[in-house]
């Protein structure tokens, strides 16, 4: 059976003795086969896959200024 976890963002209300509100912005689903999937509500119909890095270095993307 799949497990689901809520993804939330924390907003601290000013002048309220640090009272916090948590807004649900998505879910993480873990399947019985070990797959992890992230769904963010602000990007409907998009499911992100989560996987370990396996100690491989990620490529470095360099942004250079250019005229359009």
């Amino acid at each position: 059976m799949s497990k689901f976890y809520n993804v939330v963002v924390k907003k601290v209300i000013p002048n309220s003795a640090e009272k916090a509100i948590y807004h649900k912005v998505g879910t993480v689903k873990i399947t019985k086969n070990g797959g992890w999937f992230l769904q963010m509500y602000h990007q409907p119909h998009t499911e992100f896959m989560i996987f370990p890095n396996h100690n491989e270095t990620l490529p470095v993307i360099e942004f250079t200024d250019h005229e359009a």
Side-chain angles (χ1 to χ4, degrees), residues 22-66:
Y22 296 88
H23 296 281
K24 186 175 176 181
V25 295
T27 58
V28 172
K29 176 175 100 174
I30 304 173
T31 65
K32 64 180 180 177
N33 294 331
W36 288 56
F37 298 90
L38 170 67
Q39 183 179 22
M40 302 299 290
Y41 295 150
H42 64 282
Q43 288 189 306
H45 311 294
T46 304
E47 200 169 73
F48 301 92
M49 295 175 59
I50 303 169
F51 56 93
N53 190 8
H54 298 295
N55 294 329
E56 296 174 9
T57 58
L58 297 175
V60 176
I61 301 172
E62 294 185 24
F63 295 99
T64 58
D65 292 333
H66 63 279

